[in-house]
Every structure is written in structure tokens, then in C-alpha cells.
């Protein structure tokens, strides 16, 4: 029920990020340093931190503990972000500084931190090469590199995000999530448009979460009669799972929110406050906006697209049950989270279920050369904010079938106040105190599942 990435930024901030990366490479790490590790984890996001800690802890329980120089996380980012919090920032509920920590501070001393980014994957030699040319060998590789947001995939978006008068914002960046709240709060009348692209994105419910919060804010402050709220989505329905989609569509109709399906945002003219959408028949339509919340298209990292470990779409190709690579020649490679080919929604809720499965199979592989019976069923979750004090908790598995934790107690197709407080209060605390430390196992809570 959590989702995070620490590597997605608007293109307009590239200069700043490049400076940060150069600084990160100059860090003098106090962690053990070596060019050969038993386990190398690429990525220090929610997936990387969670699984690296769980792997170390799993070996510790067997009487064959790993050494401080056995596990390494490779990532040059200075900061780690809790991205679900950005929706709370955009809704005016929390300051964005609550959702950022120094990455190095989250990596325990018994795990090495290599503050560099990967440039090349060489699975045949069981090694990776960093951007500085350093070659790192491994017995087992875990790829948890996340995805990238293609800010330049929408013409004019980066410039509009940098312009405080454009009325354009996005909760998909730490740098702009507070602008979302400023824009929502300052709007007194006009057209408020919220967009979602076609295709795979991180946390597919987020584009409408912020829309529902804005709508409710306008209702509570007596502005809703002067503001028209519309949802433009490249998808054919409100949500991928039928049960929740139908409930959300009823909510949309009850609240008078316009629904424009299979409309994909392709350009923004911020000077004239016009947005251009492309429809499935190839035609384009221009729409006037006063406020525009944009969700950019997303996809695999460039470093993965050309590597030998990915499928045709650019995702790390793994078995959907075991999370082991599908190529027998690369059996010592595992992957989880947003960069993987797993056919489920890309959220950290999914990672909480994936991490213990990957850990158990990796442990078994290192011990016997074969994976265990641990299987991932595709569980993921999307806590859908529908207003202040309201949240619809969508939980499902492979096949887009609901897999609900509280379905025997309440109808999870309806918004509940207690779920709202899960999102606002419980989940952030569980994330910082448990998940990034490898102590949170999804629906099993703090208890590591047995396989």
C-alpha cells in the first residue's frame, strides 16, 4: 500500500540533478568497499532498501550470516523520497520535507553503499560497470532500479512546470508537488483539468487521487459551483480493476466531474493556457484550462533499454512467480519493483509482497542452486484518496482480481475514514520505520511469511 521512487524529476531540473550526482560520486563512504560482492542490489529506492535488508536478515537467521562486505547497494542519488507523500503535499496536508531523507542515512553499516550509477550490465561475466568505469562483480544481482518519468514526452510540460504563473503542476516530482497545492488553493474559478497518460505509470491511481482532493477542497470552501473539474485519461476506464473502476465512475458522475477517456495529453501551450489531447482515432483536440495537473508518460530507464537483461518493452525479464530471470543463463539475476516485467501495478505495496518472495528464492538459489517454492501472486494496492477523510482501498492480484485485507469487515469499493488515516498517518510511519529497514512484509505486517 506504498509507492515510492527517488529518481523521477522534471527535465527542467536536470542541471541541479547532474550537480547532485557529481557530488554523490565524491562521497567518501565509511561502508566496506570492494569490487566483488556476494549480492549486489542496483537501486536504493523502496525495493532496493527493503530487499537488501531482508536478504541480510534472512542469512542471519540460518547461522550462516553475511559479512559487511557481502551485500552492496549501488546508487548515486543523494536523497531517497517517499513518493506517496507527494499526494498529501499536493492536497495541503503535509510539508514535502517530511518525505525526503539522505539515502546514505538509510543504508545500515553492514551493507556497503557504492554511490555511483550503473552504466553497463554484463550478465555473462556476472558484473556491472558504473558511470566512472568501475567494474563490480557479483554472485547474485538484484535489479531494483525503478522507472523513469519522461517529462519531455509532453511538449511544453517542463517549461510550464518551471513557470509559477502557468497553472500547471504535477505531484510526480518533489520539486513540483507543493506547486500543486499552491495552484489548487489559489484557483477561484475556471477549468481544472487532471490528466493520466496511456500505458504504464507508477501508482496508476495517483492522477485521480489529487483530482478528488482538489474537488473536495473546492466543495468545502464553496468554490465548486465556479470551478469545472474534468478528468482526461488515456485509459478506457477510471481504473484497471472492474470493481473499483465502476465505483469510481459512479463517484465521478455523482460529483459532476467530466470524464474524457482515451484522451492522451501530448502538448501544453502555457502562454495561452491550452492543452492538446490525442484521441485513439488519431485526431487531436485543444482544451482551455485554468489549472492543469499533468501526469507525464513513464517507461524503463535508458540504461536498461539497451541491456541484455530486459524484454522487448525494456523491463527486466523475470518469472512472475519466482522473480528470477527468465533466461537460464542469467539465473543469478533477480528483479522486483517498477523496473521488472511483473504484470502488476507498479507500487511499493507490490514491493512489500515481492521482497520476501525474492529474498527466499535468492537465499535458496545461493544455498542450493535452485529457487524455493516461494511464489508471488501479483498482490498490489492503491489507496485511492477520494476526499478529506475519505479513501477507497483498492487491493488486487494477478488477473486484476481483488485481494482485499478487510473485505470481510467492510466494502472496500466504498470510501472509509479509517483507510484515509492509513494513508495519511500509518503508511508514512510504517515506511520510514519498517519498510526501508526490511521489516515490513505487506499484508503480513511485521511477520516474515513462511514458504
Amino acid at each position: 500500500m506504498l509507492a515510492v521512487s527517488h529518481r523521477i524529476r522534471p527535465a527542467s531540473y536536470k542541471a541541479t540533478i547532474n550537480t547532485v550526482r557529481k557530488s554523490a560520486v565524491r562521497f567518501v563512504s565509511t561502508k566496506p568497499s570492494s569490487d566483488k560482492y556476494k549480492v549486489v542490489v542496483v537501486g536504493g529506492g523502496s525495493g532496493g532498501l527493503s530487499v537488501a535488508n531482508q536478504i541480510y536478515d534472512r542469512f542471519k537467521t540460518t547461522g550462516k550470516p553475511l559479512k559487511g562486505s557481502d551485500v552492496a547497494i549501488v546508487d548515486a542519488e543523494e536523497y531517497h523520497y517517499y513518493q506517496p507523500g507527494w499526494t498529501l503535499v499536493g492536497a495541503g496536508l503535509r510539508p514535502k520535507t517530511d518525505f525526503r531523507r539522505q539515502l546514505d542515512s538509510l543504508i545500515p553499516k553492514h551493507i556497503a553503499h557504492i554511490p555511483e550509477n550503473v552504466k553497463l550490465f554484463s550478465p555473462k561475466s556476472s558484473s556491472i560497470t558504473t558511470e566512472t568505469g568501475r567494474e563490480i562483480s557479483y554472485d547474485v544481482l538484484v535489479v531494483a532500479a525503478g522507472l523513469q518519468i519522461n517529462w519531455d514526452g509532453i511538449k511544453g510540460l517542463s517549461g510550464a512546470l518551471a513557470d509559477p504563473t502557468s497553472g500547471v503542476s504535477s505531484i510526480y516530482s518533489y520539486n513540483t508537488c507543493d506547486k500543486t497545492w499552491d495552484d489548487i488553493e489559489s484557483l477561484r474559478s475556471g477549468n481544472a483539468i487532471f490528466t493520466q497518460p496511456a500505458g504504464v505509470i507508477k501508482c496508476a491511481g495517483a492522477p485521480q487521487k489529487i483530482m478528488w482532493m482538489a474537488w473536495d477542497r473546492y466543495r468545502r470552501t464553496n468554490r465548486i459551483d465556479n470551478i469545472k473539474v474534468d478528468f482526461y485519461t488515456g485509459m478506457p476506464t477510471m481504473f484497471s480493476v472492474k470493481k473499483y473502476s465502476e465505483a469510481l465512475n459512479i463517484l465521478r458522475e455523482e460529483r459532476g466531474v467530466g470524464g474524457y477517456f482515451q484522451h492522451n495529453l501530448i502538448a501544453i501551450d502555457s502562454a495561452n493556457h491550452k492543452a492538446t489531447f490525442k484521441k485513439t482515432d488519431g485526431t487531436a483536440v485543444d482544451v482551455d484550462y485554468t489549472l492543469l495537473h499533468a501526469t507525464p508518460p513513464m517507461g524503463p530507464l535508458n540504461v536498461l533499454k539497451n541491456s541484455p537483461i530486459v524484454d522487448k518493452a525494456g523491463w527486466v525479464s523475470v518469472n512472475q512467480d519466482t522473480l528470477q530471470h527468465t533466461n537460464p543463463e542469467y539465473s543469478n539475476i533477480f528483479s522486483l519493483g517498477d523496473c521488472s516485467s511483473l504484470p502488476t501495478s507498479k507500487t511499493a505495496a507490490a514491493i512489500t509482497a515481492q521482497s520476501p518472495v525474492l529474498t527466499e528464492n535468492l537465499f535458496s538459489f545461493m544455498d542450493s542452486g535452485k529457487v524455493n517454492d516461494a511464489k508471488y501472486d501479483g498482490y498490489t494496492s492503491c489507496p485511492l484518496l477520494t476526499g478529506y477523510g475519505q479513501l477507497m482501498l483498492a487491493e488486487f492480484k494477478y488477473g486484476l482480481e481483488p485481494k482485499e485485507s478487510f473485505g470481510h469487515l467492510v466494502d472496500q469499493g466504498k470510501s472509509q475514514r479509517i483507510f484515509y488515516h492509513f494513508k495519511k498517518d500509518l503508511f508514512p510511519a510504517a515506511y520510514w520505520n519498517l519498510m526501508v529497514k526490511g521489516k515490513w512484509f505487506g499484508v503480513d505486517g511485521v511477520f516474515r511469511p513462511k514458504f
Side-chain angles (χ1 to χ4, degrees), residues 54-74:
Q54 287 188 30
I55 290 167
Y56 187 90
D57 291 345
R58 180 66 179 89
F59 275 87
K60 193 175 179 180
T61 66
T62 65
K64 296 184 279 188
L66 296 172
K67 299 177 181 178
S69 58
D70 285 340
V71 182
I73 292 175
V74 182

mmCIF file with all atom_site columns, all heavy atoms in Angstrom, residues 54-74:
data_model
loop_
_atom_site.group_PDB
_atom_site.id
_atom_site.type_symbol
_atom_site.label_atom_id
_atom_site.label_alt_id
_atom_site.label_comp_id
_atom_site.label_asym_id
_atom_site.label_entity_id
_atom_site.label_seq_id
_atom_site.pdbx_PDB_ins_code
_atom_site.Cartn_x
_atom_site.Cartn_y
_atom_site.Cartn_z
_atom_site.occupancy
_atom_site.B_iso_or_equiv
_atom_site.pdbx_formal_charge
_atom_site.auth_seq_id
_atom_site.auth_comp_id
_atom_site.auth_asym_id
_atom_site.auth_atom_id
_atom_site.pdbx_PDB_model_num
ATOM 1   N N   . GLN A 1 54 ? 16.354 -7.379  3.860  1.00 0.00 ? 54 GLN A N   1
ATOM 2   C CA  . GLN A 1 54 ? 15.742 -8.684  4.080  1.00 0.00 ? 54 GLN A CA  1
ATOM 3   C C   . GLN A 1 54 ? 16.704 -9.823  3.743  1.00 0.00 ? 54 GLN A C   1
ATOM 4   O O   . GLN A 1 54 ? 16.725 -10.863 4.426  1.00 0.00 ? 54 GLN A O   1
ATOM 5   C CB  . GLN A 1 54 ? 14.454 -8.805  3.267  1.00 0.00 ? 54 GLN A CB  1
ATOM 6   C CG  . GLN A 1 54 ? 13.302 -7.980  3.830  1.00 0.00 ? 54 GLN A CG  1
ATOM 7   C CD  . GLN A 1 54 ? 11.984 -8.251  3.136  1.00 0.00 ? 54 GLN A CD  1
ATOM 8   O OE1 . GLN A 1 54 ? 11.733 -9.354  2.653  1.00 0.00 ? 54 GLN A OE1 1
ATOM 9   N NE2 . GLN A 1 54 ? 11.125 -7.246  3.079  1.00 0.00 ? 54 GLN A NE2 1
ATOM 10  N N   . ILE A 1 55 ? 17.499 -9.654  2.704  1.00 0.00 ? 55 ILE A N   1
ATOM 11  C CA  . ILE A 1 55 ? 18.480 -10.677 2.340  1.00 0.00 ? 55 ILE A CA  1
ATOM 12  C C   . ILE A 1 55 ? 19.499 -10.848 3.455  1.00 0.00 ? 55 ILE A C   1
ATOM 13  O O   . ILE A 1 55 ? 19.816 -11.971 3.877  1.00 0.00 ? 55 ILE A O   1
ATOM 14  C CB  . ILE A 1 55 ? 19.178 -10.307 1.011  1.00 0.00 ? 55 ILE A CB  1
ATOM 15  C CG1 . ILE A 1 55 ? 18.194 -10.448 -0.161 1.00 0.00 ? 55 ILE A CG1 1
ATOM 16  C CG2 . ILE A 1 55 ? 20.405 -11.172 0.784  1.00 0.00 ? 55 ILE A CG2 1
ATOM 17  C CD1 . ILE A 1 55 ? 18.685 -9.824  -1.450 1.00 0.00 ? 55 ILE A CD1 1
ATOM 18  N N   . TYR A 1 56 ? 20.006 -9.728  3.957  1.00 0.00 ? 56 TYR A N   1
ATOM 19  C CA  . TYR A 1 56 ? 20.986 -9.794  5.046  1.00 0.00 ? 56 TYR A CA  1
ATOM 20  C C   . TYR A 1 56 ? 20.378 -10.476 6.274  1.00 0.00 ? 56 TYR A C   1
ATOM 21  O O   . TYR A 1 56 ? 20.991 -11.352 6.887  1.00 0.00 ? 56 TYR A O   1
ATOM 22  C CB  . TYR A 1 56 ? 21.463 -8.395  5.397  1.00 0.00 ? 56 TYR A CB  1
ATOM 23  C CG  . TYR A 1 56 ? 22.591 -8.375  6.402  1.00 0.00 ? 56 TYR A CG  1
ATOM 24  C CD1 . TYR A 1 56 ? 23.918 -8.421  5.992  1.00 0.00 ? 56 TYR A CD1 1
ATOM 25  C CD2 . TYR A 1 56 ? 22.330 -8.319  7.760  1.00 0.00 ? 56 TYR A CD2 1
ATOM 26  C CE1 . TYR A 1 56 ? 24.953 -8.420  6.909  1.00 0.00 ? 56 TYR A CE1 1
ATOM 27  C CE2 . TYR A 1 56 ? 23.349 -8.315  8.693  1.00 0.00 ? 56 TYR A CE2 1
ATOM 28  C CZ  . TYR A 1 56 ? 24.665 -8.363  8.264  1.00 0.00 ? 56 TYR A CZ  1
ATOM 29  O OH  . TYR A 1 56 ? 25.687 -8.366  9.184  1.00 0.00 ? 56 TYR A OH  1
ATOM 30  N N   . ASP A 1 57 ? 19.156 -10.092 6.611  1.00 0.00 ? 57 ASP A N   1
ATOM 31  C CA  . ASP A 1 57 ? 18.493 -10.669 7.786  1.00 0.00 ? 57 ASP A CA  1
ATOM 32  C C   . ASP A 1 57 ? 18.182 -12.151 7.597  1.00 0.00 ? 57 ASP A C   1
ATOM 33  O O   . ASP A 1 57 ? 18.247 -12.933 8.552  1.00 0.00 ? 57 ASP A O   1
ATOM 34  C CB  . ASP A 1 57 ? 17.198 -9.908  8.082  1.00 0.00 ? 57 ASP A CB  1
ATOM 35  C CG  . ASP A 1 57 ? 17.446 -8.489  8.580  1.00 0.00 ? 57 ASP A CG  1
ATOM 36  O OD1 . ASP A 1 57 ? 18.604 -8.198  8.967  1.00 0.00 ? 57 ASP A OD1 1
ATOM 37  O OD2 . ASP A 1 57 ? 16.498 -7.690  8.567  1.00 0.00 ? 57 ASP A OD2 1
ATOM 38  N N   . ARG A 1 58 ? 17.839 -12.541 6.366  1.00 0.00 ? 58 ARG A N   1
ATOM 39  C CA  . ARG A 1 58 ? 17.495 -13.952 6.093  1.00 0.00 ? 58 ARG A CA  1
ATOM 40  C C   . ARG A 1 58 ? 18.712 -14.852 6.329  1.00 0.00 ? 58 ARG A C   1
ATOM 41  O O   . ARG A 1 58 ? 18.592 -15.937 6.930  1.00 0.00 ? 58 ARG A O   1
ATOM 42  C CB  . ARG A 1 58 ? 16.991 -14.111 4.662  1.00 0.00 ? 58 ARG A CB  1
ATOM 43  C CG  . ARG A 1 58 ? 16.607 -15.543 4.285  1.00 0.00 ? 58 ARG A CG  1
ATOM 44  C CD  . ARG A 1 58 ? 15.408 -16.021 5.079  1.00 0.00 ? 58 ARG A CD  1
ATOM 45  N NE  . ARG A 1 58 ? 15.017 -17.381 4.721  1.00 0.00 ? 58 ARG A NE  1
ATOM 46  C CZ  . ARG A 1 58 ? 15.499 -18.472 5.300  1.00 0.00 ? 58 ARG A CZ  1
ATOM 47  N NH1 . ARG A 1 58 ? 16.420 -18.357 6.258  1.00 0.00 ? 58 ARG A NH1 1
ATOM 48  N NH2 . ARG A 1 58 ? 15.097 -19.677 4.929  1.00 0.00 ? 58 ARG A NH2 1
ATOM 49  N N   . PHE A 1 59 ? 19.868 -14.435 5.868  1.00 0.00 ? 59 PHE A N   1
ATOM 50  C CA  . PHE A 1 59 ? 21.069 -15.225 6.092  1.00 0.00 ? 59 PHE A CA  1
ATOM 51  C C   . PHE A 1 59 ? 21.431 -15.264 7.576  1.00 0.00 ? 59 PHE A C   1
ATOM 52  O O   . PHE A 1 59 ? 21.952 -16.264 8.081  1.00 0.00 ? 59 PHE A O   1
ATOM 53  C CB  . PHE A 1 59 ? 22.236 -14.662 5.275  1.00 0.00 ? 59 PHE A CB  1
ATOM 54  C CG  . PHE A 1 59 ? 22.278 -15.160 3.860  1.00 0.00 ? 59 PHE A CG  1
ATOM 55  C CD1 . PHE A 1 59 ? 21.567 -14.524 2.863  1.00 0.00 ? 59 PHE A CD1 1
ATOM 56  C CD2 . PHE A 1 59 ? 23.027 -16.274 3.524  1.00 0.00 ? 59 PHE A CD2 1
ATOM 57  C CE1 . PHE A 1 59 ? 21.595 -14.978 1.555  1.00 0.00 ? 59 PHE A CE1 1
ATOM 58  C CE2 . PHE A 1 59 ? 23.069 -16.750 2.218  1.00 0.00 ? 59 PHE A CE2 1
ATOM 59  C CZ  . PHE A 1 59 ? 22.345 -16.097 1.232  1.00 0.00 ? 59 PHE A CZ  1
ATOM 60  N N   . LYS A 1 60 ? 21.138 -14.196 8.269  1.00 0.00 ? 60 LYS A N   1
ATOM 61  C CA  . LYS A 1 60 ? 21.458 -14.105 9.697  1.00 0.00 ? 60 LYS A CA  1
ATOM 62  C C   . LYS A 1 60 ? 20.704 -15.149 10.510 1.00 0.00 ? 60 LYS A C   1
ATOM 63  O O   . LYS A 1 60 ? 21.183 -15.629 11.532 1.00 0.00 ? 60 LYS A O   1
ATOM 64  C CB  . LYS A 1 60 ? 21.121 -12.694 10.188 1.00 0.00 ? 60 LYS A CB  1
ATOM 65  C CG  . LYS A 1 60 ? 21.670 -12.347 11.550 1.00 0.00 ? 60 LYS A CG  1
ATOM 66  C CD  . LYS A 1 60 ? 21.376 -10.893 11.871 1.00 0.00 ? 60 LYS A CD  1
ATOM 67  C CE  . LYS A 1 60 ? 21.900 -10.513 13.247 1.00 0.00 ? 60 LYS A CE  1
ATOM 68  N NZ  . LYS A 1 60 ? 21.606 -9.074  13.553 1.00 0.00 ? 60 LYS A NZ  1
ATOM 69  N N   . THR A 1 61 ? 19.511 -15.528 10.028 1.00 0.00 ? 61 THR A N   1
ATOM 70  C CA  . THR A 1 61 ? 18.687 -16.494 10.771 1.00 0.00 ? 61 THR A CA  1
ATOM 71  C C   . THR A 1 61 ? 19.152 -17.938 10.589 1.00 0.00 ? 61 THR A C   1
ATOM 72  O O   . THR A 1 61 ? 18.663 -18.833 11.277 1.00 0.00 ? 61 THR A O   1
ATOM 73  C CB  . THR A 1 61 ? 17.208 -16.414 10.335 1.00 0.00 ? 61 THR A CB  1
ATOM 74  O OG1 . THR A 1 61 ? 17.102 -16.837 8.960  1.00 0.00 ? 61 THR A OG1 1
ATOM 75  C CG2 . THR A 1 61 ? 16.662 -15.012 10.485 1.00 0.00 ? 61 THR A CG2 1
ATOM 76  N N   . THR A 1 62 ? 20.084 -18.172 9.676  1.00 0.00 ? 62 THR A N   1
ATOM 77  C CA  . THR A 1 62 ? 20.468 -19.546 9.333  1.00 0.00 ? 62 THR A CA  1
ATOM 78  C C   . THR A 1 62 ? 21.743 -20.018 10.008 1.00 0.00 ? 62 THR A C   1
ATOM 79  O O   . THR A 1 62 ? 22.137 -21.171 9.844  1.00 0.00 ? 62 THR A O   1
ATOM 80  C CB  . THR A 1 62 ? 20.686 -19.669 7.818  1.00 0.00 ? 62 THR A CB  1
ATOM 81  O OG1 . THR A 1 62 ? 21.814 -18.864 7.442  1.00 0.00 ? 62 THR A OG1 1
ATOM 82  C CG2 . THR A 1 62 ? 19.452 -19.210 7.065  1.00 0.00 ? 62 THR A CG2 1
ATOM 83  N N   . GLY A 1 63 ? 22.408 -19.128 10.720 1.00 0.00 ? 63 GLY A N   1
ATOM 84  C CA  . GLY A 1 63 ? 23.704 -19.497 11.272 1.00 0.00 ? 63 GLY A CA  1
ATOM 85  C C   . GLY A 1 63 ? 24.826 -19.308 10.275 1.00 0.00 ? 63 GLY A C   1
ATOM 86  O O   . GLY A 1 63 ? 25.988 -19.622 10.550 1.00 0.00 ? 63 GLY A O   1
ATOM 87  N N   . LYS A 1 64 ? 24.474 -18.807 9.073  1.00 0.00 ? 64 LYS A N   1
ATOM 88  C CA  . LYS A 1 64 ? 25.481 -18.509 8.048  1.00 0.00 ? 64 LYS A CA  1
ATOM 89  C C   . LYS A 1 64 ? 25.362 -17.044 7.640  1.00 0.00 ? 64 LYS A C   1
ATOM 90  O O   . LYS A 1 64 ? 25.035 -16.727 6.493  1.00 0.00 ? 64 LYS A O   1
ATOM 91  C CB  . LYS A 1 64 ? 25.276 -19.420 6.838  1.00 0.00 ? 64 LYS A CB  1
ATOM 92  C CG  . LYS A 1 64 ? 25.477 -20.898 7.134  1.00 0.00 ? 64 LYS A CG  1
ATOM 93  C CD  . LYS A 1 64 ? 25.358 -21.748 5.880  1.00 0.00 ? 64 LYS A CD  1
ATOM 94  C CE  . LYS A 1 64 ? 23.924 -22.028 5.522  1.00 0.00 ? 64 LYS A CE  1
ATOM 95  N NZ  . LYS A 1 64 ? 23.793 -23.003 4.413  1.00 0.00 ? 64 LYS A NZ  1
ATOM 96  N N   . PRO A 1 65 ? 25.578 -16.133 8.594  1.00 0.00 ? 65 PRO A N   1
ATOM 97  C CA  . PRO A 1 65 ? 25.372 -14.703 8.310  1.00 0.00 ? 65 PRO A CA  1
ATOM 98  C C   . PRO A 1 65 ? 26.344 -14.162 7.276  1.00 0.00 ? 65 PRO A C   1
ATOM 99  O O   . PRO A 1 65 ? 27.471 -14.650 7.138  1.00 0.00 ? 65 PRO A O   1
ATOM 100 C CB  . PRO A 1 65 ? 25.606 -14.056 9.677  1.00 0.00 ? 65 PRO A CB  1
ATOM 101 C CG  . PRO A 1 65 ? 26.524 -14.993 10.386 1.00 0.00 ? 65 PRO A CG  1
ATOM 102 C CD  . PRO A 1 65 ? 26.103 -16.366 9.948  1.00 0.00 ? 65 PRO A CD  1
ATOM 103 N N   . LEU A 1 66 ? 25.873 -13.180 6.552  1.00 0.00 ? 66 LEU A N   1
ATOM 104 C CA  . LEU A 1 66 ? 26.722 -12.497 5.580  1.00 0.00 ? 66 LEU A CA  1
ATOM 105 C C   . LEU A 1 66 ? 27.613 -11.488 6.305  1.00 0.00 ? 66 LEU A C   1
ATOM 106 O O   . LEU A 1 66 ? 27.274 -11.004 7.387  1.00 0.00 ? 66 LEU A O   1
ATOM 107 C CB  . LEU A 1 66 ? 25.861 -11.779 4.543  1.00 0.00 ? 66 LEU A CB  1
ATOM 108 C CG  . LEU A 1 66 ? 24.989 -12.678 3.668  1.00 0.00 ? 66 LEU A CG  1
ATOM 109 C CD1 . LEU A 1 66 ? 24.045 -11.823 2.817  1.00 0.00 ? 66 LEU A CD1 1
ATOM 110 C CD2 . LEU A 1 66 ? 25.830 -13.566 2.774  1.00 0.00 ? 66 LEU A CD2 1
ATOM 111 N N   . LYS A 1 67 ? 28.728 -11.171 5.688  1.00 0.00 ? 67 LYS A N   1
ATOM 112 C CA  . LYS A 1 67 ? 29.636 -10.185 6.255  1.00 0.00 ? 67 LYS A CA  1
ATOM 113 C C   . LYS A 1 67 ? 29.261 -8.787  5.758  1.00 0.00 ? 67 LYS A C   1
ATOM 114 O O   . LYS A 1 67 ? 28.475 -8.633  4.831  1.00 0.00 ? 67 LYS A O   1
ATOM 115 C CB  . LYS A 1 67 ? 31.078 -10.514 5.856  1.00 0.00 ? 67 LYS A CB  1
ATOM 116 C CG  . LYS A 1 67 ? 31.568 -11.871 6.352  1.00 0.00 ? 67 LYS A CG  1
ATOM 117 C CD  . LYS A 1 67 ? 32.970 -12.145 5.846  1.00 0.00 ? 67 LYS A CD  1
ATOM 118 C CE  . LYS A 1 67 ? 33.464 -13.510 6.299  1.00 0.00 ? 67 LYS A CE  1
ATOM 119 N NZ  . LYS A 1 67 ? 34.827 -13.801 5.769  1.00 0.00 ? 67 LYS A NZ  1
ATOM 120 N N   . GLY A 1 68 ? 29.855 -7.811  6.388  1.00 0.00 ? 68 GLY A N   1
ATOM 121 C CA  . GLY A 1 68 ? 29.584 -6.431  5.999  1.00 0.00 ? 68 GLY A CA  1
ATOM 122 C C   . GLY A 1 68 ? 30.031 -6.097  4.591  1.00 0.00 ? 68 GLY A C   1
ATOM 123 O O   . GLY A 1 68 ? 29.599 -5.110  4.015  1.00 0.00 ? 68 GLY A O   1
ATOM 124 N N   . SER A 1 69 ? 30.913 -6.918  4.034  1.00 0.00 ? 69 SER A N   1
ATOM 125 C CA  . SER A 1 69 ? 31.387 -6.676  2.666  1.00 0.00 ? 69 SER A CA  1
ATOM 126 C C   . SER A 1 69 ? 30.708 -7.584  1.649  1.00 0.00 ? 69 SER A C   1
ATOM 127 O O   . SER A 1 69 ? 31.140 -7.678  0.506  1.00 0.00 ? 69 SER A O   1
ATOM 128 C CB  . SER A 1 69 ? 32.907 -6.893  2.601  1.00 0.00 ? 69 SER A CB  1
ATOM 129 O OG  . SER A 1 69 ? 33.228 -8.212  3.014  1.00 0.00 ? 69 SER A OG  1
ATOM 130 N N   . ASP A 1 70 ? 29.613 -8.256  2.050  1.00 0.00 ? 70 ASP A N   1
ATOM 131 C CA  . ASP A 1 70 ? 28.967 -9.222  1.164  1.00 0.00 ? 70 ASP A CA  1
ATOM 132 C C   . ASP A 1 70 ? 27.804 -8.647  0.359  1.00 0.00 ? 70 ASP A C   1
ATOM 133 O O   . ASP A 1 70 ? 27.480 -9.138  -0.718 1.00 0.00 ? 70 ASP A O   1
ATOM 134 C CB  . ASP A 1 70 ? 28.441 -10.412 1.976  1.00 0.00 ? 70 ASP A CB  1
ATOM 135 C CG  . ASP A 1 70 ? 29.555 -11.350 2.417  1.00 0.00 ? 70 ASP A CG  1
ATOM 136 O OD1 . ASP A 1 70 ? 30.641 -11.303 1.807  1.00 0.00 ? 70 ASP A OD1 1
ATOM 137 O OD2 . ASP A 1 70 ? 29.342 -12.108 3.367  1.00 0.00 ? 70 ASP A OD2 1
ATOM 138 N N   . VAL A 1 71 ? 27.129 -7.628  0.879  1.00 0.00 ? 71 VAL A N   1
ATOM 139 C CA  . VAL A 1 71 ? 25.959 -7.040  0.222  1.00 0.00 ? 71 VAL A CA  1
ATOM 140 C C   . VAL A 1 71 ? 26.228 -5.570  -0.062 1.00 0.00 ? 71 VAL A C   1
ATOM 141 O O   . VAL A 1 71 ? 26.688 -4.832  0.823  1.00 0.00 ? 71 VAL A O   1
ATOM 142 C CB  . VAL A 1 71 ? 24.694 -7.172  1.104  1.00 0.00 ? 71 VAL A CB  1
ATOM 143 C CG1 . VAL A 1 71 ? 23.477 -6.597  0.372  1.00 0.00 ? 71 VAL A CG1 1
ATOM 144 C CG2 . VAL A 1 71 ? 24.449 -8.622  1.485  1.00 0.00 ? 71 VAL A CG2 1
ATOM 145 N N   . ALA A 1 72 ? 25.923 -5.145  -1.280 1.00 0.00 ? 72 ALA A N   1
ATOM 146 C CA  . ALA A 1 72 ? 26.150 -3.748  -1.658 1.00 0.00 ? 72 ALA A CA  1
ATOM 147 C C   . ALA A 1 72 ? 24.941 -3.186  -2.388 1.00 0.00 ? 72 ALA A C   1
ATOM 148 O O   . ALA A 1 72 ? 24.303 -3.875  -3.186 1.00 0.00 ? 72 ALA A O   1
ATOM 149 C CB  . ALA A 1 72 ? 27.389 -3.625  -2.543 1.00 0.00 ? 72 ALA A CB  1
ATOM 150 N N   . ILE A 1 73 ? 24.632 -1.924  -2.102 1.00 0.00 ? 73 ILE A N   1
ATOM 151 C CA  . ILE A 1 73 ? 23.631 -1.171  -2.841 1.00 0.00 ? 73 ILE A CA  1
ATOM 152 C C   . ILE A 1 73 ? 24.366 -0.163  -3.716 1.00 0.00 ? 73 ILE A C   1
ATOM 153 O O   . ILE A 1 73 ? 25.199 0.604   -3.234 1.00 0.00 ? 73 ILE A O   1
ATOM 154 C CB  . ILE A 1 73 ? 22.666 -0.433  -1.892 1.00 0.00 ? 73 ILE A CB  1
ATOM 155 C CG1 . ILE A 1 73 ? 21.794 -1.449  -1.140 1.00 0.00 ? 73 ILE A CG1 1
ATOM 156 C CG2 . ILE A 1 73 ? 21.788 0.545   -2.657 1.00 0.00 ? 73 ILE A CG2 1
ATOM 157 C CD1 . ILE A 1 73 ? 20.883 -0.816  -0.097 1.00 0.00 ? 73 ILE A CD1 1
ATOM 158 N N   . VAL A 1 74 ? 24.047 -0.172  -4.999 1.00 0.00 ? 74 VAL A N   1
ATOM 159 C CA  . VAL A 1 74 ? 24.693 0.730   -5.956 1.00 0.00 ? 74 VAL A CA  1
ATOM 160 C C   . VAL A 1 74 ? 23.694 1.803   -6.367 1.00 0.00 ? 74 VAL A C   1
ATOM 161 O O   . VAL A 1 74 ? 22.681 1.513   -7.012 1.00 0.00 ? 74 VAL A O   1
ATOM 162 C CB  . VAL A 1 74 ? 25.191 -0.042  -7.200 1.00 0.00 ? 74 VAL A CB  1
ATOM 163 C CG1 . VAL A 1 74 ? 25.899 0.905   -8.167 1.00 0.00 ? 74 VAL A CG1 1
ATOM 164 C CG2 . VAL A 1 74 ? 26.117 -1.184  -6.780 1.00 0.00 ? 74 VAL A CG2 1
#
